[in-house]
Amino acid sequence: MKRLSMLLVGLFACLTVQAAQTDRMDLSGLWRFQLDPMGFGKTPGSELYLSKLTETIELPGSMDEGGKGIRNIVAHVDRLSRKFEYCGQAWYQREVVIPEEWEGREIILSLERCHWETVVFVDGEPVATDERLSTPNRFILTKQLTPGLHTLTLCVDNRLKYPMDQWNHGTTEYTQTNWNGVVGRMELIAKPSCYIGKMDIYPNLEAKKVKVCLALHVSGKQTEGELTLRIREKDGKEVCRTVVPMSLSGKDEKIEQELALGRDMKLWDEFSPALYDLTATLATEAGEDTCTSVFGMRHVEQGRHHIRVNGRDIHLRGVLDCCVFPLTGYPATDVKEWKRIFNTVKDYGMNHVRFHSWCPPEAAFDAADELGLYLQVELPMWIKDVGQYPARRDFFEKEMYAILDEYGNHPSFILFCNGNENEGDFAVLEDLVKKGQARDNRRLYSASTARTHVKSDQYYASHVAANVGEKNKRWITVYEGKPSTDWDRSEESAIDVPVIAHETGQRCMYPNFEEMKKYTGVLEPRNFKVYQDRLAKNGMLHQAGEFFRATGAHTVLQYKEVNEALLRTSTSGGFQLLGLSDFPGQGSAFVGILDAFWESKGLVTPEKYRESCAPIVLLARFQKRAYTNAETFTAKMGIYHFGPEAIRKGLLT
């Protein structure tokens, strides 16, 4: 017993030293755990936050990864199958030791991504609730976490809080799964009583300056101090430093300051993704607080037919990310994995990713910033009755503000859309757009992909031209090729805002059964097994490889036709391919030349694919595909050119 006590003292001492050294306490590791399927854990007489929970689980992570929940044996045909399923309240608990050095500081609990509603208890007392799906959950626990030992308890509830329909990729079983848990960074952060709560950076390319807007959290008496602002290039070279004397009144304040980057200022775009670090340091009697953010000097604006970046038209060659993560069931939170995905996207000639009805974690923005990719981010919204539920509408507004505040400095974040194929009261969606535009003008906004085009749209992602009746539909999106290549979508795309073709392609192929062995995580490809068994039952299993290769080859050819049709379209603002990678939900959509892991199926090399999808592509228009030896082949040649520099004069050989 004495030895155990000494071990506990040593453990607490280590935690205290770590916290004192870094002002951050890592909360990853082993937590106590308990299911609450009846939902009684918050009710009088059944309070689980007053109990010591009886099981254990590793965090960050999900219940699926911990093998918690109901074991699932069903083979879903229309999606991957979870090994364990659960929907309801789950409880997580551990002890924390707050060091003496944190006395008088603001203490913040930061949980990078929870799913969904999260309630925090300290020492058996309820403290706060949050319901963010797209951004970190942060809770101020200063009053509760005094120096010493405390019990921290979380209740995470993955039931749908509002009527969300079944499809949006922030909550659906068809993509990331409706998991329960906490992923990403989990930590307690100690701040001085005067600290920087928020920092927004607004580039001004013409003046070669940035405007820095700081929200300062100030508690207590009036105090003097100074604010140091420093900008560095990514290689560490300092380009600007200024020191501003501060006289703080004792209440929260907002500060604005302009910083000049000089004549050697570098721009950020897909070809030259130059990045800067801005570090703000606030020094007062309460201590020193530092806030750092990456930004790029780029300006996004609405052109006649194209979105413009830094005064130049761009053409978006895009792919959808539908939040498919077969090993974990939830999105990656590390930059390395997002770089792998985004490098693959760029290898195949793309410069754009649309996050279909969801918003990725910070790591995705960091990777896109560094690699030079243009991102479209969306709310977890894909609903058919917009305007019906005021509480849901309020949630979406708060979620939008949280996304803009959390990720707004990232130069890769150029487009924001409310969500996918929404229906209902579009006045509600337009109101959200107007509020987003008023809050943050560093990107362009759209009410919804497809469906109704509203006046406030600054771009429009759709498959049908705006304001055209059902009898006269004009398709902007291209789903398949034609015998001739002398056609385009220029007339259909020539509306009052830049038009991006919505979910182009959608060519499906037969599954590759060799892929099944890759599913070593929380999801199993039982849908593959259903198709495999059907083939065996009909005596055709030996032809499975031939079916895959034949349909795959056809898909590659069709995507070439789809891409080139929109490259020929002079008024096109871009396209968003439904599947560069597979989407194994909503009917098992094997639509990609890459599998659900963003890995090649062996159907086409990146080099070959870039012949019809790249910043510069040679195009040919001709009337038919088949000629006899008595005919003369004629073609009109063209060049799709959205490269970094003008093409020099020369000969086409």
Side-chain angles (χ1 to χ4, degrees):
M1 191 70 180
K2 183 177 181 181
R3 182 177 179 181
L4 178 61
S5 299
M6 292 298 293
L7 286 172
L8 288 173
V9 169
L11 173 62
F12 294 161
C14 289
L15 288 173
T16 302
V17 169
Q18 178 192 25
Q21 288 174 341
T22 65
D23 291 337
R24 292 176 181 267
M25 183 184 297
D26 182 12
L27 298 179
S28 63
L30 194 65
W31 286 61
R32 294 192 296 277
F33 173 83
Q34 194 160 329
L35 289 174
D36 186 10
M38 300 297 290
F40 286 163
K42 299 176 188 175
T43 59
S46 301
E47 302 96 329
L48 283 175
Y49 52 88
L50 297 178
S51 306
K52 186 172 183 177
L53 306 185
T54 57
E55 299 181 45
T56 59
I57 193 170
E58 286 282 340
L59 293 181
S62 69
M63 281 179 51
D64 297 54
E65 289 178 303
K68 308 293 186 180
I70 301 170
R71 186 175 293 277
N72 174 38
I73 60 172
V74 176
H76 299 294
V77 180
D78 58 347
R79 62 187 186 275
L80 301 171
S81 297
R82 294 169 67 179
K83 295 178 182 178
F84 293 89
E85 294 181 340
Y86 182 77
C87 190
Q89 294 178 175
W91 294 78
Y92 306 82
Q93 188 180 74
R94 64 163 288 173
E95 274 68 52
V96 295
V97 180
I98 304 303
E100 294 292 337
E101 290 80 0
W102 285 16
E103 177 73 38
R105 298 189 182 188
E106 189 92 302
I107 300 177
I108 303 167
L109 170 63
S110 180
L111 307 172
E112 182 170 358
R113 187 149 294 203
C114 305
H115 207 265
W116 181 3
E117 181 187 81
T118 303
V119 186
V120 178
F121 303 82
V122 177
D123 297 332
E125 293 292 330
V127 177
T129 302
D130 205 355
E131 57 177 12
R132 302 276 69 81
L133 280 171
S134 307
T135 62
N137 290 250
R138 296 190 180 96
F139 306 90
I140 295 177
L141 306 181
T142 306
K143 294 180 180 179
Q144 292 80 18
L145 293 183
T146 54
L149 178 65
H150 297 277
T151 299
L152 182 63
T153 305
L154 310 176
C155 178
V156 181
D157 190 344
N158 64 331
R159 290 175 294 182
L160 301 186
K161 287 200 66 178
Y162 312 103
M164 302 289 279
D165 289 344
Q166 60 177 325
W167 298 119
N168 89 77
H169 295 168
T171 58
T172 181
E173 288 289 347
Y174 291 94
T175 56
Q176 65 172 323
T177 75
N178 186 29
W179 54 279
N180 187 306
V182 183
V183 301
R185 297 185 66 175
M186 306 175 61
E187 56 188 354
L188 289 172
I189 304 170
K191 294 276 191 179
S193 57
C194 298
Y195 66 91
I196 302 166
K198 183 170 176 282
M199 179 166 68
D200 293 322
I201 304 167
Y202 292 86
N204 184 332
L205 272 58
E206 185 176 354
K208 296 187 176 182
K209 295 180 179 179
V210 294
K211 181 174 71 172
V212 184
C213 301
L214 297 170
L216 305 183
H217 176 81
V218 184
S219 61
K221 61 182 181 180
Q222 296 181 358
T223 185
E224 303 295 317
E226 63 180 25
L227 176 68
T228 302
L229 299 169
R230 181 174 63 181
I231 296 177
R232 291 180 174 178
E233 294 180 357
K234 290 300 288 183
D235 62 4
K237 177 184 176 182
E238 185 171 286
V239 297
C240 176
R241 178 197 287 260
T242 187
V243 179
V244 183
M246 305 293 295
S247 181
L248 302 176
S249 64
K251 299 180 181 180
D252 291 356
E253 296 190 22
K254 293 184 178 180
I255 305 294
E256 292 187 3
Q257 187 73 27
E258 282 195 334
L259 302 173
L261 275 72
R263 62 182 182 181
D264 295 327
M265 178 191 76
K266 299 177 181 178
L267 299 180
W268 184 96
D269 67 11
E270 63 185 286
F271 302 109
S272 301
L275 295 173
Y276 293 92
D277 285 316
L278 195 156
T279 300
T281 303
L282 177 65
T284 66
E285 295 177 0
E288 187 175 278
D289 182 53
T290 298
C291 179
T292 299
S293 181
V294 172
F295 72 96
M297 295 301 290
R298 70 101 174 99
H299 176 67
V300 181
E301 61 185 329
Q302 174 188 336
R304 182 181 179 186
H305 295 305
H306 296 83
I307 292 162
R308 294 172 61 81
V309 173
N310 303 339
R312 297 180 56 200
D313 288 349
I314 64 170
H315 190 257
L316 297 175
R317 302 178 305 280
V319 303
L320 265 61
D321 187 307
C322 293
C323 200
V324 177
F325 293 87
L327 297 182
T328 60
Y330 58 77
T333 57
D334 61 298
V335 174
K336 181 180 178 181
E337 176 62 7
W338 281 107
K339 279 188 175 181
R340 182 188 71 83
I341 294 171
F342 288 164
N343 270 317
T344 301
V345 170
K346 296 203 75 172
D347 283 346
Y348 284 84
M350 306 290 190
N351 64 357
H352 168 51
V353 176
R354 173 197 167 198
F355 290 95
H356 181 304
S357 61
W358 77 291
C359 175
E362 183 90 31
F365 294 92
D366 290 337
D369 292 345
E370 187 172 335
L371 298 178
L373 270 178
Y374 303 125
L375 304 184
Q376 175 177 316
V377 172
E378 298 180 8
L379 292 171
M381 183 192 292
W382 185 356
I383 52 181
K384 307 305 180 185
D385 55 357
V386 173
Q388 290 299 307
Y389 302 97
R392 181 181 66 187
R393 184 236 168 270
D394 291 345
F395 164 75
F396 283 135
E397 182 173 339
K398 292 175 184 177
E399 193 81 348
M400 177 184 70
Y401 292 150
I403 289 171
L404 297 177
D405 291 348
E406 190 72 26
Y407 310 122
N409 291 336
H410 290 279
S412 57
F413 183 7
I414 71 165
L415 303 175
F416 178 89
C417 183
N418 287 330
N420 183 69
E421 298 177 9
N422 293 302
E423 298 176 8
D425 186 355
F426 266 74
V428 171
L429 297 178
E430 187 164 24
D431 178 64
L432 285 173
V433 165
K434 290 178 179 178
K435 288 178 176 177
Q437 291 165 336
R439 191 179 187 95
D440 189 342
N441 64 2
R442 290 174 290 181
R443 56 200 44 85
L444 304 184
Y445 293 80
S446 184
S448 175
T449 66
R451 304 308 184 252
T452 302
H453 171 38
V454 301
K455 186 177 180 180
S456 295
D457 283 341
Q458 294 171 293
Y459 72 98
Y460 184 48
S462 182
H463 46 260
V464 179
N467 303 320
V468 176
E470 288 291 323
K471 296 181 180 179
N472 298 302
K473 280 189 175 181
R474 296 181 298 162
W475 290 94
I476 297 168
T477 290
V478 180
Y479 292 117
E480 56 193 2
K482 298 180 180 181
S484 164
T485 64
D486 195 10
W487 60 279
D488 56 48
R489 291 282 192 256
S490 293
E491 181 182 353
E492 293 85 350
S493 298
I495 66 171
D496 57 335
V497 296
V499 172
I500 304 170
H502 170 72
E503 296 184 3
T504 63
Q506 303 198 23
R507 313 313 299 168
C508 205
M509 71 185 74
Y510 211 80
N512 178 16
F513 296 133
E514 291 298 315
E515 183 187 322
M516 295 170 67
K517 59 189 177 186
K518 291 186 177 183
Y519 290 82
T520 58
V522 302
L523 292 165
E524 291 185 337
R526 298 174 192 169
N527 50 348
F528 283 66
K529 188 66 168 60
V530 171
Y531 308 139
Q532 194 176 46
D533 290 345
R534 288 175 181 174
L535 271 186
K537 182 179 179 180
N538 289 280
M540 294 188 292
L541 184 57
H542 64 286
Q543 294 180 277
E546 296 173 12
F547 292 154
F548 160 66
R549 288 187 294 273
T551 55
H554 183 255
T555 294
V556 171
L557 289 174
Q558 285 293 320
Y559 280 174
K560 172 181 169 65
E561 298 300 318
V562 166
N563 293 345
E564 290 185 349
L566 291 160
L567 300 193
R568 292 192 298 267
T569 301
S570 62
T571 57
S572 168
F575 63 86
Q576 295 165 341
L577 196 69
L578 176 69
L580 185 66
S581 61
D582 279 344
F583 179 35
Q586 291 174 231
S588 299
F590 302 109
V591 295
I593 58 173
L594 308 177
D595 62 26
F597 301 85
W598 294 90
E599 295 175 347
S600 175
K601 295 181 179 180
L603 299 171
V604 61
T605 65
E607 294 78 13
K608 185 67 177 177
Y609 194 84
R610 287 200 302 270
E611 291 180 2
S612 62
C613 185
I616 303 174
V617 175
L618 186 63
L619 300 167
R621 289 175 178 258
F622 45 89
Q623 289 298 315
K624 59 182 182 177
R625 307 279 182 161
Y627 289 80
T628 69
N629 58 3
E631 295 178 289
T632 300
F633 174 77
T634 60
K636 293 177 287 186
M637 304 304 295
I639 297 177
Y640 166 89
H641 176 50
F642 284 87
E645 299 174 351
I647 297 176
R648 296 179 181 179
K649 292 182 179 180
L651 296 175
L652 181 64
T653 59

